Amino acid sequence: MTTVVPRSAAVPRPELPPAHSPVRRAAPGDAAALHALSRIHFAGGALRERPLGLYAADAEDFLVVERTDGALAGCLGLRSHPSTPHGPGGVLYNFCVSPGSQGRGVGSALLRAALAAAGDRSLRAVFTATSGGGELFLRHGFVPVPALLAPPEWAGALDPRRGSRVLARTLGGISR
């Protein structure tokens, strides 16, 4: 005798509204929100502390994603550096995602947008420094590199006490 175990029918899931806006370029009016989001990450040492005035001065370096309530879900700065050992390059900095938005694709969306912006600027490579594992960067094609390949003024400002490692992704085929 065969026993048949009934299966419950799959319940269709309703489409949920997106929890976050598309990536956009920050404006000077976003400085306070950039600072507030970043402050969450200062205490744990994930980000170097920067004053509000620096966010105001550099707001246009940033790409941001907003939550549906208007608060920032994440941000990432991209600064161009004309002088690297291999031509024009860029540096990604102040990359953070709010705790409630982590694991929802915000970081990946910001990183993809930053790489596209770097390509639009004809940058040959993009560098970043991380004191963490850097898994997201590694999944997006970054590899560990010696700091001497990075923009000298940026690499020289890295704090060796933080134990950061430099990662890079080529965009235009640099050679080592």
Short mmCIF file of all heavy atoms in Angstrom, two decimals, residues 31-98:
data_model
loop_
_atom_site.label_atom_id
_atom_site.label_comp_id
_atom_site.label_asym_id
_atom_site.label_seq_id
_atom_site.Cartn_x
_atom_site.Cartn_y
_atom_site.Cartn_z
N ALA A 31 24.80 66.45 3.06
CA ALA A 31 25.97 66.35 3.95
C ALA A 31 25.60 65.87 5.35
O ALA A 31 26.26 64.98 5.90
CB ALA A 31 26.71 67.68 4.02
N ALA A 32 24.56 66.43 5.94
CA ALA A 32 24.18 66.03 7.31
C ALA A 32 23.75 64.56 7.34
O ALA A 32 24.10 63.82 8.27
CB ALA A 32 23.06 66.92 7.84
N ALA A 33 23.03 64.10 6.32
CA ALA A 33 22.61 62.70 6.27
C ALA A 33 23.80 61.78 6.04
O ALA A 33 23.87 60.69 6.62
CB ALA A 33 21.55 62.51 5.18
N LEU A 34 24.75 62.19 5.21
CA LEU A 34 25.97 61.41 5.00
C LEU A 34 26.74 61.26 6.31
O LEU A 34 27.20 60.18 6.67
CB LEU A 34 26.87 62.08 3.95
CG LEU A 34 26.41 61.99 2.51
CD1 LEU A 34 27.17 62.99 1.64
CD2 LEU A 34 26.60 60.57 1.98
N HIS A 35 26.86 62.37 7.03
CA HIS A 35 27.58 62.35 8.31
C HIS A 35 26.85 61.46 9.32
O HIS A 35 27.48 60.65 10.01
CB HIS A 35 27.73 63.78 8.84
CG HIS A 35 28.57 63.87 10.07
ND1 HIS A 35 28.04 64.12 11.31
CD2 HIS A 35 29.91 63.73 10.24
CE1 HIS A 35 29.01 64.14 12.19
NE2 HIS A 35 30.16 63.91 11.57
N ALA A 36 25.54 61.59 9.40
CA ALA A 36 24.76 60.79 10.36
C ALA A 36 24.89 59.30 10.06
O ALA A 36 25.08 58.48 10.98
CB ALA A 36 23.29 61.22 10.33
N LEU A 37 24.80 58.91 8.80
CA LEU A 37 24.95 57.50 8.43
C LEU A 37 26.35 57.01 8.76
O LEU A 37 26.53 55.93 9.32
CB LEU A 37 24.66 57.31 6.93
CG LEU A 37 24.94 55.92 6.37
CD1 LEU A 37 24.06 54.86 7.03
CD2 LEU A 37 24.73 55.92 4.86
N SER A 38 27.35 57.80 8.46
CA SER A 38 28.73 57.40 8.67
C SER A 38 29.08 57.30 10.15
O SER A 38 29.88 56.44 10.54
CB SER A 38 29.67 58.39 7.98
OG SER A 38 29.39 58.41 6.58
N ARG A 39 28.49 58.16 10.97
CA ARG A 39 28.77 58.15 12.42
C ARG A 39 28.49 56.80 13.05
O ARG A 39 29.17 56.39 13.99
CB ARG A 39 27.95 59.22 13.13
CG ARG A 39 28.50 60.60 12.93
CD ARG A 39 27.68 61.60 13.66
NE ARG A 39 27.62 61.21 15.08
CZ ARG A 39 27.16 61.97 16.02
NH1 ARG A 39 26.69 63.17 15.74
NH2 ARG A 39 27.14 61.56 17.27
N ILE A 40 27.51 56.10 12.52
CA ILE A 40 27.19 54.76 13.04
C ILE A 40 28.43 53.86 12.98
O ILE A 40 28.64 53.01 13.83
CB ILE A 40 26.04 54.12 12.22
CG1 ILE A 40 24.77 54.96 12.33
CG2 ILE A 40 25.80 52.68 12.62
CD1 ILE A 40 23.71 54.58 11.31
N HIS A 41 29.27 54.08 11.98
CA HIS A 41 30.42 53.21 11.72
C HIS A 41 31.73 53.76 12.30
O HIS A 41 32.74 53.08 12.23
CB HIS A 41 30.54 52.96 10.21
CG HIS A 41 29.30 52.37 9.63
ND1 HIS A 41 29.00 51.03 9.70
CD2 HIS A 41 28.24 52.95 9.01
CE1 HIS A 41 27.83 50.80 9.13
NE2 HIS A 41 27.35 51.95 8.70
N PHE A 42 31.72 54.97 12.85
CA PHE A 42 32.93 55.54 13.45
C PHE A 42 33.32 54.77 14.71
O PHE A 42 34.48 54.42 14.90
CB PHE A 42 32.75 57.01 13.84
CG PHE A 42 32.56 57.98 12.71
CD1 PHE A 42 32.03 59.23 12.96
CD2 PHE A 42 32.90 57.68 11.40
CE1 PHE A 42 31.85 60.15 11.94
CE2 PHE A 42 32.72 58.58 10.38
CZ PHE A 42 32.19 59.83 10.66
N ALA A 43 32.34 54.55 15.59
CA ALA A 43 32.62 53.98 16.92
C ALA A 43 33.30 52.62 16.83
O ALA A 43 34.23 52.34 17.58
CB ALA A 43 31.34 53.89 17.73
N GLY A 44 32.87 51.78 15.93
CA GLY A 44 33.46 50.46 15.79
C GLY A 44 34.77 50.45 15.03
O GLY A 44 35.40 49.41 14.90
N GLY A 45 35.18 51.59 14.50
CA GLY A 45 36.43 51.68 13.77
C GLY A 45 36.33 51.27 12.31
O GLY A 45 37.34 51.22 11.62
N ALA A 46 35.13 50.99 11.82
CA ALA A 46 34.99 50.60 10.42
C ALA A 46 35.29 51.78 9.49
O ALA A 46 35.74 51.58 8.36
CB ALA A 46 33.59 50.07 10.15
N LEU A 47 35.02 52.99 9.95
CA LEU A 47 35.32 54.20 9.18
C LEU A 47 36.14 55.16 10.04
O LEU A 47 35.94 55.23 11.26
CB LEU A 47 34.04 54.94 8.77
CG LEU A 47 33.17 54.33 7.70
CD1 LEU A 47 31.93 55.20 7.48
CD2 LEU A 47 33.92 54.14 6.41
N ARG A 48 37.01 55.91 9.38
CA ARG A 48 37.71 56.99 10.07
C ARG A 48 36.72 58.13 10.27
O ARG A 48 35.93 58.44 9.37
CB ARG A 48 38.89 57.49 9.25
CG ARG A 48 40.02 56.50 9.17
CD ARG A 48 41.26 57.06 8.56
NE ARG A 48 40.98 57.81 7.35
CZ ARG A 48 41.92 58.36 6.60
NH1 ARG A 48 43.17 58.25 6.93
NH2 ARG A 48 41.60 59.02 5.51
N GLU A 49 36.80 58.74 11.42
CA GLU A 49 35.88 59.84 11.71
C GLU A 49 36.23 61.05 10.87
O GLU A 49 37.39 61.42 10.71
CB GLU A 49 35.95 60.20 13.19
CG GLU A 49 34.85 61.14 13.59
CD GLU A 49 34.64 61.22 15.08
OE1 GLU A 49 35.19 60.38 15.81
OE2 GLU A 49 33.91 62.12 15.50
N ARG A 50 35.19 61.65 10.30
CA ARG A 50 35.32 62.85 9.48
C ARG A 50 34.30 63.86 9.99
O ARG A 50 33.17 63.50 10.29
CB ARG A 50 35.05 62.55 8.02
CG ARG A 50 36.06 61.65 7.36
CD ARG A 50 35.62 61.30 5.93
NE ARG A 50 36.64 60.56 5.23
CZ ARG A 50 36.76 59.23 5.24
NH1 ARG A 50 35.92 58.51 5.94
NH2 ARG A 50 37.72 58.64 4.57
N PRO A 51 34.67 65.13 10.02
CA PRO A 51 33.73 66.15 10.49
C PRO A 51 32.65 66.44 9.44
O PRO A 51 32.85 66.21 8.23
CB PRO A 51 34.60 67.38 10.74
CG PRO A 51 35.79 67.19 9.85
CD PRO A 51 36.00 65.69 9.73
N LEU A 52 31.54 66.96 9.91
CA LEU A 52 30.43 67.31 9.03
C LEU A 52 30.88 68.20 7.88
O LEU A 52 30.46 68.02 6.74
CB LEU A 52 29.32 67.99 9.84
CG LEU A 52 28.13 68.53 9.04
CD1 LEU A 52 27.42 67.43 8.29
CD2 LEU A 52 27.16 69.24 9.98
N GLY A 53 31.74 69.15 8.14
CA GLY A 53 32.20 70.07 7.10
C GLY A 53 32.88 69.37 5.93
O GLY A 53 32.78 69.82 4.79
N LEU A 54 33.54 68.27 6.21
CA LEU A 54 34.18 67.51 5.14
C LEU A 54 33.14 66.85 4.24
O LEU A 54 33.30 66.79 3.02
CB LEU A 54 35.12 66.47 5.74
CG LEU A 54 36.25 65.97 4.86
CD1 LEU A 54 37.08 67.10 4.31
CD2 LEU A 54 37.13 65.03 5.65
N TYR A 55 32.05 66.38 4.83
CA TYR A 55 30.98 65.80 4.02
C TYR A 55 30.33 66.88 3.16
O TYR A 55 29.96 66.62 2.02
CB TYR A 55 29.94 65.10 4.90
CG TYR A 55 30.46 63.82 5.49
CD1 TYR A 55 31.00 63.79 6.78
CD2 TYR A 55 30.45 62.64 4.76
CE1 TYR A 55 31.50 62.61 7.31
CE2 TYR A 55 30.95 61.46 5.29
CZ TYR A 55 31.48 61.46 6.56
OH TYR A 55 31.99 60.29 7.08
N ALA A 56 30.20 68.07 3.70
CA ALA A 56 29.63 69.18 2.92
C ALA A 56 30.53 69.53 1.75
O ALA A 56 30.07 69.72 0.62
CB ALA A 56 29.40 70.39 3.82
N ALA A 57 31.84 69.58 2.00
CA ALA A 57 32.78 69.94 0.94
C ALA A 57 32.89 68.86 -0.14
O ALA A 57 33.10 69.17 -1.31
CB ALA A 57 34.16 70.21 1.56
N ASP A 58 32.74 67.60 0.27
CA ASP A 58 32.95 66.48 -0.65
C ASP A 58 31.67 65.76 -1.04
O ASP A 58 31.72 64.66 -1.60
CB ASP A 58 33.91 65.46 -0.01
CG ASP A 58 35.29 66.03 0.23
OD1 ASP A 58 35.68 66.98 -0.46
OD2 ASP A 58 35.99 65.51 1.13
N ALA A 59 30.51 66.34 -0.77
CA ALA A 59 29.24 65.65 -1.00
C ALA A 59 29.12 65.13 -2.42
O ALA A 59 28.59 64.03 -2.64
CB ALA A 59 28.07 66.57 -0.68
N GLU A 60 29.63 65.85 -3.39
CA GLU A 60 29.46 65.42 -4.78
C GLU A 60 30.34 64.24 -5.16
O GLU A 60 30.19 63.68 -6.24
CB GLU A 60 29.64 66.61 -5.71
CG GLU A 60 28.50 67.61 -5.50
CD GLU A 60 28.56 68.83 -6.39
OE1 GLU A 60 29.48 68.93 -7.22
OE2 GLU A 60 27.66 69.67 -6.25
N ASP A 61 31.26 63.82 -4.26
CA ASP A 61 32.01 62.59 -4.47
C ASP A 61 31.14 61.36 -4.25
O ASP A 61 31.48 60.27 -4.68
CB ASP A 61 33.17 62.47 -3.46
CG ASP A 61 34.40 63.27 -3.79
OD1 ASP A 61 34.45 63.92 -4.84
OD2 ASP A 61 35.34 63.23 -2.96
N PHE A 62 30.02 61.53 -3.53
CA PHE A 62 29.26 60.39 -3.02
C PHE A 62 28.12 59.95 -3.93
O PHE A 62 27.45 60.76 -4.55
CB PHE A 62 28.67 60.73 -1.64
CG PHE A 62 29.69 60.67 -0.55
CD1 PHE A 62 30.43 61.78 -0.23
CD2 PHE A 62 29.91 59.49 0.14
CE1 PHE A 62 31.39 61.73 0.78
CE2 PHE A 62 30.86 59.43 1.15
CZ PHE A 62 31.60 60.55 1.46
N LEU A 63 27.93 58.65 -3.92
CA LEU A 63 26.72 58.02 -4.45
C LEU A 63 25.93 57.56 -3.23
O LEU A 63 26.53 57.14 -2.22
CB LEU A 63 27.09 56.83 -5.33
CG LEU A 63 27.91 57.16 -6.56
CD1 LEU A 63 28.42 55.88 -7.21
CD2 LEU A 63 27.10 57.97 -7.54
N VAL A 64 24.62 57.66 -3.29
CA VAL A 64 23.78 57.29 -2.15
C VAL A 64 22.58 56.49 -2.60
O VAL A 64 22.16 56.55 -3.76
CB VAL A 64 23.30 58.54 -1.36
CG1 VAL A 64 24.48 59.30 -0.77
CG2 VAL A 64 22.45 59.45 -2.21
N VAL A 65 22.03 55.74 -1.66
CA VAL A 65 20.76 55.04 -1.81
C VAL A 65 19.92 55.45 -0.61
O VAL A 65 20.41 55.47 0.52
CB VAL A 65 20.95 53.51 -1.83
CG1 VAL A 65 19.61 52.79 -1.78
CG2 VAL A 65 21.74 53.08 -3.05
N GLU A 66 18.67 55.81 -0.85
CA GLU A 66 17.76 56.20 0.22
C GLU A 66 16.79 55.06 0.52
O GLU A 66 16.42 54.30 -0.37
CB GLU A 66 16.93 57.42 -0.18
CG GLU A 66 17.72 58.68 -0.33
CD GLU A 66 16.84 59.84 -0.79
OE1 GLU A 66 15.76 59.62 -1.36
OE2 GLU A 66 17.27 60.98 -0.58
N ARG A 67 16.37 55.00 1.77
CA ARG A 67 15.27 54.11 2.14
C ARG A 67 13.97 54.80 1.72
O ARG A 67 13.96 55.99 1.41
CB ARG A 67 15.27 53.86 3.66
CG ARG A 67 16.52 53.17 4.14
CD ARG A 67 16.42 52.78 5.59
NE ARG A 67 15.74 53.77 6.41
CZ ARG A 67 16.07 54.10 7.64
NH1 ARG A 67 17.12 53.52 8.21
NH2 ARG A 67 15.39 54.98 8.33
N THR A 68 12.90 54.08 1.75
CA THR A 68 11.62 54.66 1.35
C THR A 68 11.17 55.78 2.28
O THR A 68 10.40 56.64 1.89
CB THR A 68 10.51 53.59 1.27
OG1 THR A 68 10.46 52.89 2.51
CG2 THR A 68 10.77 52.63 0.13
N ASP A 69 11.71 55.80 3.52
CA ASP A 69 11.36 56.88 4.45
C ASP A 69 12.23 58.12 4.25
O ASP A 69 12.10 59.09 4.98
CB ASP A 69 11.42 56.41 5.90
CG ASP A 69 12.82 56.04 6.37
OD1 ASP A 69 13.80 56.19 5.60
OD2 ASP A 69 12.95 55.57 7.51
N GLY A 70 13.14 58.09 3.28
CA GLY A 70 13.98 59.24 2.98
C GLY A 70 15.34 59.24 3.65
O GLY A 70 16.22 60.00 3.27
N ALA A 71 15.55 58.39 4.66
CA ALA A 71 16.86 58.29 5.31
C ALA A 71 17.83 57.57 4.37
O ALA A 71 17.41 56.78 3.52
CB ALA A 71 16.74 57.53 6.62
N LEU A 72 19.11 57.85 4.52
CA LEU A 72 20.09 57.17 3.68
C LEU A 72 20.28 55.73 4.12
O LEU A 72 20.44 55.44 5.31
CB LEU A 72 21.44 57.90 3.72
CG LEU A 72 21.49 59.27 3.05
CD1 LEU A 72 22.93 59.79 3.05
CD2 LEU A 72 20.94 59.24 1.63
N ALA A 73 20.26 54.84 3.15
CA ALA A 73 20.50 53.42 3.40
C ALA A 73 21.97 53.10 3.22
O ALA A 73 22.49 52.15 3.81
CB ALA A 73 19.67 52.57 2.45
N GLY A 74 22.67 53.87 2.39
CA GLY A 74 24.07 53.61 2.14
C GLY A 74 24.71 54.73 1.35
O GLY A 74 24.02 55.53 0.71
N CYS A 75 26.05 54.77 1.43
CA CYS A 75 26.80 55.77 0.67
C CYS A 75 28.17 55.22 0.33
O CYS A 75 28.68 54.30 0.98
CB CYS A 75 26.92 57.08 1.46
SG CYS A 75 27.90 56.99 2.97
N LEU A 76 28.75 55.80 -0.70
CA LEU A 76 30.09 55.42 -1.15
C LEU A 76 30.69 56.60 -1.89
O LEU A 76 30.07 57.13 -2.81
CB LEU A 76 30.02 54.20 -2.08
CG LEU A 76 31.31 53.74 -2.76
CD1 LEU A 76 32.39 53.40 -1.74
CD2 LEU A 76 31.03 52.54 -3.65
N GLY A 77 31.89 57.01 -1.46
CA GLY A 77 32.59 58.10 -2.12
C GLY A 77 33.52 57.58 -3.20
O GLY A 77 34.13 56.51 -3.04
N LEU A 78 33.63 58.31 -4.30
CA LEU A 78 34.58 58.02 -5.38
C LEU A 78 35.31 59.30 -5.70
O LEU A 78 34.69 60.30 -6.09
CB LEU A 78 33.85 57.52 -6.64
CG LEU A 78 34.70 57.44 -7.92
CD1 LEU A 78 35.85 56.44 -7.77
CD2 LEU A 78 33.82 57.08 -9.11
N ARG A 79 36.62 59.30 -5.51
CA ARG A 79 37.44 60.47 -5.83
C ARG A 79 38.44 60.08 -6.91
O ARG A 79 39.12 59.07 -6.80
CB ARG A 79 38.17 60.96 -4.58
CG ARG A 79 39.04 62.18 -4.88
CD ARG A 79 39.48 62.90 -3.66
NE ARG A 79 38.31 63.39 -2.94
CZ ARG A 79 38.24 63.47 -1.62
NH1 ARG A 79 39.25 63.09 -0.88
NH2 ARG A 79 37.15 63.92 -1.03
N SER A 80 38.51 60.91 -7.93
CA SER A 80 39.48 60.69 -9.00
C SER A 80 40.85 61.21 -8.59
O SER A 80 40.95 62.24 -7.91
CB SER A 80 39.04 61.41 -10.28
OG SER A 80 37.82 60.88 -10.74
N HIS A 81 41.88 60.50 -9.01
CA HIS A 81 43.27 60.90 -8.77
C HIS A 81 43.99 60.80 -10.12
O HIS A 81 44.16 59.69 -10.64
CB HIS A 81 43.94 59.98 -7.76
CG HIS A 81 43.44 60.17 -6.37
ND1 HIS A 81 44.07 61.01 -5.47
CD2 HIS A 81 42.38 59.65 -5.71
CE1 HIS A 81 43.41 60.99 -4.32
NE2 HIS A 81 42.38 60.17 -4.45
N PRO A 82 44.41 61.92 -10.66
CA PRO A 82 45.05 61.87 -11.98
C PRO A 82 46.40 61.18 -11.97
O PRO A 82 46.84 60.68 -13.00
CB PRO A 82 45.18 63.34 -12.38
CG PRO A 82 45.09 64.10 -11.11
CD PRO A 82 44.29 63.27 -10.15
N SER A 83 47.05 61.11 -10.80
CA SER A 83 48.41 60.57 -10.79
C SER A 83 48.50 59.30 -9.97
O SER A 83 48.56 59.32 -8.75
CB SER A 83 49.37 61.62 -10.23
OG SER A 83 49.01 61.97 -8.92
N THR A 84 48.45 58.18 -10.67
CA THR A 84 48.82 56.90 -10.06
C THR A 84 49.99 56.40 -10.90
O THR A 84 50.25 56.92 -11.99
CB THR A 84 47.66 55.87 -10.09
OG1 THR A 84 47.49 55.40 -11.42
CG2 THR A 84 46.37 56.44 -9.54
N PRO A 85 50.69 55.40 -10.42
CA PRO A 85 51.80 54.89 -11.23
C PRO A 85 51.39 54.38 -12.62
O PRO A 85 52.22 54.21 -13.48
CB PRO A 85 52.34 53.74 -10.37
CG PRO A 85 52.00 54.13 -8.97
CD PRO A 85 50.66 54.81 -9.09
N HIS A 86 50.08 54.17 -12.83
CA HIS A 86 49.62 53.61 -14.11
C HIS A 86 48.61 54.50 -14.83
O HIS A 86 47.87 54.02 -15.67
CB HIS A 86 49.02 52.22 -13.88
CG HIS A 86 49.99 51.27 -13.28
ND1 HIS A 86 50.98 50.67 -14.00
CD2 HIS A 86 50.15 50.86 -12.00
CE1 HIS A 86 51.71 49.90 -13.20
NE2 HIS A 86 51.22 50.00 -12.00
N GLY A 87 48.56 55.77 -14.47
CA GLY A 87 47.61 56.67 -15.12
C GLY A 87 46.51 57.07 -14.17
O GLY A 87 46.58 56.83 -12.96
N PRO A 88 45.45 57.67 -14.71
CA PRO A 88 44.38 58.14 -13.82
C PRO A 88 43.68 56.99 -13.11
O PRO A 88 43.38 55.96 -13.70
CB PRO A 88 43.43 58.87 -14.77
CG PRO A 88 43.77 58.40 -16.13
CD PRO A 88 45.18 57.93 -16.10
N GLY A 89 43.45 57.19 -11.83
CA GLY A 89 42.80 56.17 -11.02
C GLY A 89 41.78 56.81 -10.10
O GLY A 89 41.62 58.03 -10.08
N GLY A 90 41.11 55.99 -9.37
CA GLY A 90 40.11 56.47 -8.42
C GLY A 90 40.25 55.75 -7.10
O GLY A 90 40.87 54.69 -7.02
N VAL A 91 39.69 56.38 -6.08
CA VAL A 91 39.68 55.79 -4.75
C VAL A 91 38.24 55.75 -4.26
O VAL A 91 37.52 56.75 -4.32
CB VAL A 91 40.56 56.60 -3.77
CG1 VAL A 91 40.35 56.14 -2.34
CG2 VAL A 91 42.02 56.50 -4.17
N LEU A 92 37.83 54.60 -3.79
CA LEU A 92 36.53 54.43 -3.15
C LEU A 92 36.75 54.60 -1.65
O LEU A 92 37.68 54.01 -1.09
CB LEU A 92 35.96 53.05 -3.44
CG LEU A 92 35.71 52.72 -4.90
CD1 LEU A 92 35.26 51.27 -5.05
CD2 LEU A 92 34.70 53.67 -5.50
N TYR A 93 35.90 55.40 -1.02
CA TYR A 93 36.07 55.65 0.41
C TYR A 93 34.73 55.85 1.08
O TYR A 93 33.72 56.07 0.44
CB TYR A 93 37.00 56.84 0.64
CG TYR A 93 36.41 58.19 0.27
CD1 TYR A 93 35.87 59.02 1.25
CD2 TYR A 93 36.40 58.64 -1.04
CE1 TYR A 93 35.34 60.25 0.92
CE2 TYR A 93 35.87 59.86 -1.38
CZ TYR A 93 35.34 60.67 -0.39
OH TYR A 93 34.79 61.89 -0.73
N ASN A 94 34.76 55.77 2.41
CA ASN A 94 33.58 56.01 3.25
C ASN A 94 32.38 55.17 2.79
O ASN A 94 31.27 55.66 2.68
CB ASN A 94 33.23 57.49 3.27
CG ASN A 94 32.44 57.89 4.50
OD1 ASN A 94 32.97 58.52 5.39
ND2 ASN A 94 31.18 57.54 4.58
N PHE A 95 32.63 53.90 2.56
CA PHE A 95 31.59 52.98 2.09
C PHE A 95 30.85 52.45 3.30
O PHE A 95 31.44 51.77 4.15
CB PHE A 95 32.28 51.85 1.34
CG PHE A 95 31.37 50.92 0.58
CD1 PHE A 95 30.03 51.16 0.39
CD2 PHE A 95 31.90 49.77 0.03
CE1 PHE A 95 29.22 50.29 -0.33
CE2 PHE A 95 31.12 48.88 -0.70
CZ PHE A 95 29.78 49.16 -0.87
N CYS A 96 29.58 52.77 3.42
CA CYS A 96 28.82 52.24 4.54
C CYS A 96 27.35 52.05 4.17
O CYS A 96 26.82 52.76 3.32
CB CYS A 96 28.96 53.10 5.79
SG CYS A 96 28.47 54.80 5.63
N VAL A 97 26.76 51.07 4.82
CA VAL A 97 25.35 50.74 4.64
C VAL A 97 24.74 50.68 6.03
O VAL A 97 25.32 50.11 6.96
CB VAL A 97 25.19 49.39 3.91
CG1 VAL A 97 23.72 48.98 3.82
CG2 VAL A 97 25.80 49.46 2.51
N SER A 98 23.56 51.28 6.19
CA SER A 98 22.90 51.29 7.50
C SER A 98 22.61 49.85 7.93
O SER A 98 22.36 48.98 7.10
CB SER A 98 21.61 52.10 7.45
OG SER A 98 20.64 51.45 6.65
#
